[in-house]
Amino acid sequence: MMERVIRAFGERFNEPPAFVVRAPGRVNLIGEHTDYNDGFCLPMAIDRALWIALRPRRDDRVIVEALDLGESITFDLGALSPGEASWGQYVTGVAWALPRNGYTLSAWEGVMSSDIPIGSGLSSSAALELAVARAFAAVAGFPWDPERMAQVAQQTENQWLKLRTGIMDQLVCASGVEGHALLIDCRSLSLEPVPLPSGAVVVVMDTRTPRGLVNSAYNERRAECEQAAQRLGVAVLRDASRADLERQSGRLAPVLLKRAQHVITENERTLLAAAAMRAHDAAELGRLMDASHDSLRHDYEVTSATLDTMVACARQQKGCRGARMTGAGFGGCAIALVQAPDIASFIAGVFQAYERETGLTPDIFACRPAAGAGLVGFGETDTAP
Ligand code: GLA
């Protein structure tokens, strides 16, 4: 990927890029639909990423060419408009959000390419936002603060694109740590890197079904959580316990009870999962992942037939410790925790079983926990200013 953007840049501009930036996709190991309830989640950045090779411009103009799509966008920093929803909106949105947070921008041009599947729930959009933010930081020379940049990226989604997403995707994309997942407390935004249990590998299983209902259903779930919290007399569901729920269950309509049940138990499972990871207990982590999927299926109702089938196919295979959907749901990807020696047979077995059951061809690959967004090449490999 890096070579591809550097080569394309050279062909286009007849010189090497001044900067190359990279921002990863992510999977969430556990802690789903908890971030907007101020709860806990445990995502990891993965070794699939979006890359931009770029150089500064002297005028006010930003030009980005998406090599994979054969499309490009051009805009002036002084004249931003939301326009039509497309990948370009994420770029202009970051250029809109950064100055609102006190950053002075300067212009650049470049080419980008990505091996994060688009629209599969692996946060290709958070990767785009953070890569663009990293590009602006490089050309304007402002210090790179991953946590603030994650918040800028979230503002881009919430205020520019009008998508009510939480902070998880942007935070792990900005702050990921190689070899680790991040336990995120979405209230304090404190982060704790926790290592993947030794000998366990995370496998991504893309159902190859679109996440059609995802935006409307996501907003509906958020509203239900707010109502449930109100009925329970707490500001957010993070503040409600299992005991509160049992005591006050009569005050909640059945559907709100199920939503609250998921969030409260998922927060518990996430903390237990982090403890299991610290203890290198892959079996326990896998059990918690299974329980998370079942809760998302029955209580939160955000899985889909293909996600349930994929998870069932995974659980049948030798070496599978646990499997669950990942991300918002309604299609997209599931993940499995698999013992390293069984990876090849696991992937082949799930592929065949899923294809047989659904008639669809999945995309299945092992991934590794990667570092967050950064400047690469030219001697810099970290997220330092
Ligand atoms: C999407 C959102 C996240 C989070 C997950 C569900 O990925 O962008 O903020 O809410 O769904 O856990």
Side-chain angles (χ1 to χ4, degrees), residues 26 28 31-36 123 165-169 218 327-328:
R26 68 99 187 86
N28 186 19
E32 214 67 84
H33 289 277
T34 47
D35 62 350
Y36 52 82
S123 291
T165 46
I167 189 72
M168 170 173 76
D169 304 343
Y218 188 90

